[in-house]
Amino acid sequence: MNKPKPRLTRTALHGQEERVKRIFRDQIAEAAGLLEVFLSSIVLIGLLLSIVPLLQWMPGLIVDGNDVEVHVFLERALDIVIGIEFIKMLAKHSPGSVLEVLLYAIARHMIVGHEDALQNLVSVIAIAMIFIIRRFFFVPSFGQKLPGGEPAPDIASLYESDNTEETV
């Protein structure tokens, strides 16, 4: 006998459509993750190459360390530090790592920039706000977990220090 063919209902079609969308989203996210790792490796190679001129300037700083050479040396060194923090930000995917990059960038601006007192005050207020945000406004929905589900290393250490203060 002829069996009637099962018809796909709208809900079944919608479920399959959602599954296909989810698969595509996962593949796009995976490709974006690979591009992010590739970009991080390019930045890391660039940072490693930029350390070479920094090392070459060091003997000149010891022999004849004038203000201009020290200033350029500090600019380059702090740029490398900010680049390293940028790579960590790409790897961690946590708000804490973003705040660290901002913190280093503002600190670099204050250290090597020749700004007036008002701009230095604004930089100090910005740094204070970063610490306030980090301390009081981090909530679990703000992305304190790594993509795998475990807590971000910078957040886990923050909570461990909070727990030790309470038990003391």
Side-chain angles (χ1 to χ4, degrees):
M1 289 201 229
N2 285 342
K3 254 187 179 179
K5 291 184 178 179
R7 281 184 25 172
L8 292 176
T9 63
R10 271 191 186 180
T11 55
L13 285 174
H14 181 70
Q16 288 178 351
E17 180 181 310
E18 289 300 316
R19 189 176 72 82
V20 169
K21 283 182 187 178
R22 189 173 9 99
I23 289 170
F24 280 138
R25 282 188 197 121
D26 291 344
Q27 289 176 346
I28 289 171
E30 187 71 27
L34 291 173
L35 285 173
E36 196 172 62
V37 169
F38 180 69
L39 176 66
S40 296
S41 61
I42 289 174
V43 172
L44 181 63
I45 291 168
L47 287 174
L48 290 173
L49 292 175
S50 67
I51 291 175
V52 174
L54 199 65
L55 294 174
Q56 291 173 344
W57 286 333
M58 289 190 71
L61 290 174
I62 294 171
V63 174
D64 181 35
N66 61 21
D67 290 342
V68 174
E69 287 180 1
V70 172
H71 181 75
V72 171
F73 180 81
L74 281 176
E75 280 181 342
R76 301 289 170 120
L78 290 172
D79 285 342
I80 293 170
V81 169
I82 291 170
I84 292 168
E85 288 300 319
F86 177 73
I87 292 172
K88 288 169 48 178
M89 177 187 74
L90 289 175
K92 284 185 182 179
H93 291 277
S94 72
S97 59
V98 174
L99 291 177
E100 286 176 17
V101 170
L102 290 174
L103 184 67
Y104 282 111
I106 294 169
R108 179 207 179 274
H109 174 74
M110 284 181 62
I111 292 169
V112 297
H114 296 291
E115 309 300 333
D116 61 0
L118 182 61
Q119 287 182 336
N120 283 336
L121 177 65
V122 170
S123 296
V124 169
I125 291 170
I127 288 174
M129 288 177 62
I130 288 174
F131 282 115
I132 289 169
I133 289 169
R134 180 152 175 91
R135 177 72 177 139
F136 295 108
F137 295 113
F138 265 19
V139 293
S141 63
F142 194 48
Q144 293 184 2
K145 302 225 183 259
L146 292 173
E150 62 272 359
D154 53 345
I155 302 301
S157 64
L158 180 67
Y159 283 132
E160 289 171 4
S161 65
D162 284 349
N163 291 339
T164 56
E165 290 173 4
E166 291 174 3
T167 57
V168 173

